[in-house]
């Protein structure tokens, strides 16, 4: 029975990720998630509570997958930015869900995100104290800029997307070099 409930939960999360990625929280419909899963609405509410809590579970899973896949080394922020760029390229849902989270859950305080951010900020501060990283910026300033640069080629207006984009390799090189200059 435990396997079936875990499989159902996984199907619901997968269906919900697709739904939230496309429509955000306000536009997502639990009926469509249930149909895609397949699962009944009662089961969705039993496992996750409200639609907002289901979104939070989906987003927390995406954040934890990011943390697992993209090693964070405060003494190699250019490398981290390159690895983050790679993940955003492979999993565009990550940025779409992040955008919806910022728009619709701006007051959110998801433990997975708070823990991830706090761990990174602590590592940056430790690297600064050890003289391994610039102190020209606070840990928050550095992390914010590194994140922005790693996302930059994946977040732009549709009109800018019509302009001939450099190769993927060149875009990644620009991200890594920009972070290298930031921390030098």
């Amino acid at each position: 029975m435990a396997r079936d409930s875990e499989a159902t939960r996984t199907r619901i999360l997968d269906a919900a990720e697709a739904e939230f990625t496309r429509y955000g929280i306000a536009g997502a419909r639990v009926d469509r998630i249930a149909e895609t899963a397949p699962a009944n609405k009662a089961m969705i509410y039993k496992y996750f509570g409200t639609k907002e809590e289901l979104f939070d579970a989906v987003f927390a899973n995406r954040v934890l997958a990011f943390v697992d896949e993209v090693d964070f080394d405060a003494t190699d922020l250019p490398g981290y930015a390159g690895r983050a760029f790679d993940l955003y390229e492979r999993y565009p849902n990550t940025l779409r869900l992040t955008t919806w989270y910022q728009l619709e859950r701006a007051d959110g305080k998801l433990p997975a995100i708070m823990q991830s951010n706090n761990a990174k900020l602590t590592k940056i501060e430790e690297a600064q104290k050890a003289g391994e990283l610039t102190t020209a910026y606070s840990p928050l300033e550095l992390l914010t800029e590194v994140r922005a640069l790693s996302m930059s080629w994946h977040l732009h207006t549709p009109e800018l997307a019509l302009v001939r984009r450099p190769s993927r390799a060149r875009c990644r090189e620009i991200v890594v070099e920009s972070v290298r200059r930031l921390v030098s």
Side-chain angles (χ1 to χ4, degrees), residues 16-96:
E17 180 174 325
E19 181 77 7
F20 289 127
T21 296
R22 184 167 185 180
Y23 299 105
I25 299 170
R29 297 292 173 257
V30 174
D31 289 340
R32 284 191 299 244
I33 294 168
E35 184 178 330
T36 303
N40 63 51
K41 284 173 56 174
M43 191 61 64
I44 293 172
Y45 291 120
K46 177 184 175 202
Y47 283 134
F48 299 101
T50 67
K51 182 169 67 166
E52 290 77 12
E53 291 169 320
L54 175 57
F55 177 87
D56 291 349
V58 166
F59 190 58
N61 276 356
R62 180 54 54 207
V63 169
L64 292 173
F66 181 95
V67 169
D68 285 346
E69 189 165 331
V70 181
D71 292 330
F72 182 82
D73 180 353
T75 64
D76 182 22
L77 291 177
Y80 170 74
R83 291 186 298 277
F85 172 90
D86 294 340
L87 183 124
Y88 297 137
E89 187 87 8
R90 282 192 315 276
Y91 302 108
N93 283 0
T94 302
L95 289 176
R96 290 185 190 119

Side-chain angles (χ1 to χ4, degrees), residues 102-137:
Q102 291 169 329
L103 290 170
E104 298 187 87
R105 299 292 279 170
D107 60 345
K109 292 180 179 69
L110 289 177
I113 296 171
M114 293 171 67
Q115 290 167 359
S116 174
N117 288 338
N118 288 336
K120 288 177 180 80
L121 292 170
T122 298
K123 289 176 182 179
I124 291 171
E125 184 176 14
E126 289 169 355
Q128 287 176 321
K129 286 180 181 176
E132 300 171 316
L133 189 59
T134 182
T135 57
Y137 306 99

